[in-house]
Amino acid sequence: MTTHVPSADGESPVGKEFPEGLPIGDHWVEAPATEDIRFPYDGTVLARAPVGDTGLARRAVDAALALRERVGRLPSHIRRAALLATHEAVASRRVDFERLLVLETGKPLVDCRIEVDRTLLTLLTAAEEVARLHGETVPLDLLPSGEGLLGFWTRKPIGVVVGIAGFNYPLLLAAHKVAPSLAAGCPVIVKPAPQTPLATLWLVHLLREALGAADAPRAAVQLVTGGPEVGVALTTDRRIGAVSFTGSAAVGHRIARDAAPTKVLLELGSNAALVVAADADLDAAADAVVRGGYYASGQACISVQRVIVVDAVREEFMARLTERVAQVAVGDPRDPRTRVSALIERRSTERVRAWLDEAVAAGASLVAGGRVTDGMIEPTVLLDPDRTLPVWNEEVFAPVVAVRSVPDLDTAFDLVNDSRYGLHASVYTSALETAFTALDRLEVGGVVVNEVPGFRSDVMPYGGVKNSGAGREGPRFAIEELTVTRMAVIRPTTKKT
């Protein structure tokens, strides 16, 4: 693989560290093809990256299965040491990782810095969770038949894990696949999004180097690139233990059907809602919509998309919101001041533009933005869109926020729940009663009070309900998903002498 990514010292960090090909088995093997990876902002070719195929996918599964028992028996101190060493390796290269993420995702630098911070926390937390992977005793004598029996359970690795990551946070999402898998004792094969393989390749390389230094098999972590056919080959192989997928709902549901009965963990899309109550701090709520609606250029599954405002404060809130949206900096993602830049691909921009045109034609008002300037969608606020249109009820994945007003909070909570998605939602209020009502009524995986729905600490359980997915991420919770309980029932015997 060749690349033109500049590092802090003017050299290419990827070209300097990467072997060529793909990390499959104990070595890097030649890929059958390569493709251009482009900087979304201006289309510049960033790298020629290796592209795998179904044959390499099967080869990776074979290698992982051959190591399944060995990886499952790796001592805790080795798994922990490898994760800690990878944490240190990424930390020492963080500036180059940030620069690479900007170039391959097109995300603003501020968001890429946060992504590296969160990746480091994920690696560190996964290492710490190795020490907490244990079971419990069970009081079997609650039934008379259990008298004299000793019972306890342990957790065992589920087997080979296939992790498929999305394009928007390639380094972080890959870390959430590989780090818990290794901590659990599972060989893992990761497949990055075709548009953004570089940061994931680098992470896997560093982790394999750490495994080798700890006298553990490098093939415990492998990577295969490629298109949908590679994903199908990996996820439908009945020999694997689990699939962990982050991406669109349509693809995730297809994987779940095709992979059955293999365990499938899905972190899918959403159209996150933010409710503004009559007693909310309107300045804080308006700030939250701007901060939560436009970070990562809106390409985050829990970015603010739907804003539901109680009628009593609609006009006052809208005045604050439009004032703030006008101040959002749009431009080159390498500029630290930029908050919105180009989407990952031109066809994504074209789709969003069509959705906005459709909404306006149906009666919605463009309060801010709505234009495409130099290939970038301006930060957009859409008022009163039809609830049946995609811009309201599907995932926009762009710097677009849609606002509707309702007479009261009961109606607001009903409107939040009137969605096939349910990942995160938030409510701005000064009443504790409203906060607890939201916690009780909102049909989502996470309720956030007086903060953006996009708040996520990587140590918390993260996942959705309804079409937003199944299972939970966060190292502790992912490790539980990737292990199975094994019950031990023992009747001690006394040998007669």
Side-chain angles (χ1 to χ4, degrees):
M1 177 179 66
T2 59
T3 178
H4 307 293
V5 183
S7 71
D9 60 10
E11 296 185 20
S12 165
V14 178
K16 184 169 55 181
E17 287 211 45
F18 271 32
E20 291 187 0
L22 292 169
I24 296 174
D26 289 328
H27 308 288
W28 288 67
V29 302
E30 183 179 357
T34 61
E35 67 179 355
D36 290 341
I37 305 300
R38 296 182 179 273
F39 182 25
Y41 175 66
D42 62 12
T44 302
V45 175
L46 170 65
R48 293 287 299 173
V51 180
D53 59 14
T54 57
L56 289 181
R58 288 189 292 270
R59 182 172 170 180
V61 174
D62 289 342
L65 287 165
L67 288 171
R68 175 182 171 181
E69 290 188 12
R70 182 181 173 191
V71 175
R73 292 194 177 101
L74 282 176
S76 297
H77 71 89
I78 287 181
R79 286 177 281 139
R80 181 174 179 272
L83 288 166
L84 289 175
T86 306
H87 171 273
E88 293 304 313
V90 173
S92 68
R93 297 162 174 81
R94 66 165 303 139
V95 173
D96 288 335
F97 265 110
E98 292 165 0
R99 185 176 288 105
L100 175 58
L101 286 168
V102 171
L103 293 173
E104 74 168 331
T105 68
K107 279 189 322 198
L109 175 60
V110 62
D111 298 306
C112 295
R113 286 172 172 165
I114 292 171
E115 180 172 0
V116 175
D117 284 338
R118 293 180 57 192
T119 299
L120 291 170
L121 177 62
T122 300
L123 291 166
L124 182 61
T125 306
E128 293 170 344
E129 288 298 328
V130 173
R132 303 185 182 103
L133 188 56
H134 53 72
E136 298 177 3
T137 58
V138 180
L140 299 179
D141 57 358
L142 287 174
L143 287 174
S145 59
E147 291 181 16
L149 292 177
L150 172 66
F152 62 91
W153 56 268
T154 60
R155 303 202 72 93
K156 296 295 182 181
I158 200 169
V160 176
V161 175
V162 169
I164 302 179
F167 68 80
N168 54 332
Y169 281 80
L171 182 66
L172 176 63
L173 295 177
H176 272 291
K177 310 303 181 189
V178 299
S181 297
L182 183 59
C186 299
V188 57
I189 306 163
V190 63
K191 179 186 178 297
Q195 307 96 318
T196 55
L198 304 180
T200 308
L201 273 163
W202 201 0
L203 174 67
V204 167
H205 169 62
L206 295 176
L207 187 47
R208 285 165 63 94
E209 290 295 290
L211 286 165
D215 200 26
R218 286 179 166 84
V221 181
Q222 301 176 85
L223 183 147
V224 186
T225 54
E229 71 285 353
V230 172
V232 169
L234 291 171
T235 58
T236 59
D237 194 312
R238 295 293 179 263
R239 300 173 296 170
I240 64 172
V243 176
S244 178
F245 171 81
T246 298
S248 72
V251 175
H253 297 159
R254 184 164 62 249
I255 287 173
R257 290 192 299 270
D258 294 345
T262 301
K263 183 172 186 176
V264 176
L265 310 172
L266 302 173
E267 198 276 277
L268 306 178
S270 190
N271 53 3
L274 184 149
V275 174
V276 183
D279 60 0
D281 180 334
L282 297 184
D283 286 319
D287 286 339
V289 172
V290 172
R291 181 163 44 91
Y294 305 126
Y295 77 96
S297 302
Q299 296 176 117
C301 52
I302 44 178
S303 64
V304 176
Q305 179 174 329
R306 297 181 295 155
V307 180
I308 302 167
V309 187
V310 172
D311 282 332
V313 295
R314 169 183 164 125
E315 297 306 319
E316 193 175 353
F317 171 77
M318 289 303 299
R320 286 168 163 79
L321 177 59
T322 53
E323 178 185 359
R324 286 163 169 78
V325 172
Q327 300 170 7
V328 176
V330 181
D332 191 328
R334 293 166 292 192
D335 187 334
R337 296 168 297 182
T338 297
R339 293 298 178 269
V340 169
S341 191
L343 300 185
I344 187 69
E345 292 176 328
R346 180 178 298 176
R347 63 180 178 179
S348 298
T349 302
E350 293 170 350
R351 170 187 58 81
V352 175
R353 178 68 263 182
W355 284 12
L356 291 174
D357 289 343
E358 178 186 37
V360 171
S365 301
L366 271 174
V367 176
R371 295 177 296 273
V372 178
T373 304
D374 296 329
M376 294 172 285
I377 298 174
E378 297 177 353
T380 299
V381 177
L382 197 64
L383 186 61
D384 294 329
D386 189 305
R387 288 168 51 185
T388 66
L389 295 180
V391 76
W392 179 266
N393 61 27
E394 290 300 330
E395 184 176 46
V396 178
F397 228 58
V400 175
V401 170
V403 183
R404 292 186 63 90
S405 60
V406 293
D408 52 48
L409 280 172
D410 279 341
T411 309
F413 292 156
D414 287 342
L415 189 52
V416 173
N417 291 337
D418 183 24
S419 172
R420 70 188 183 102
Y421 296 111
L423 193 47
H424 273 197
S426 69
V427 57
Y428 270 74
T429 179
S430 60
L432 193 59
E433 180 182 4
T434 300
F436 277 96
T437 301
L439 287 166
D440 183 56
R441 288 192 53 190
L442 295 182
E443 298 167 357
V444 292
V447 175
V448 187
V449 179
N450 293 331
E451 186 49 90
V452 296
F455 176 82
R456 177 185 177 185
S457 171
D458 294 279
V459 301
M460 73 189 199
Y462 175 74
V465 298
K466 298 192 281 190
N467 281 15
S468 286
R472 292 296 180 265
E473 286 190 340
R476 170 189 167 187
F477 307 95
I479 290 169
E480 290 179 358
E481 299 276 10
L482 299 177
T483 53
V484 294
T485 60
R486 181 172 296 170
M487 186 66 203
V489 179
I490 301 172
R491 183 180 296 280
T493 59
T494 302
K495 185 177 180 180
K496 295 181 180 181
T497 59

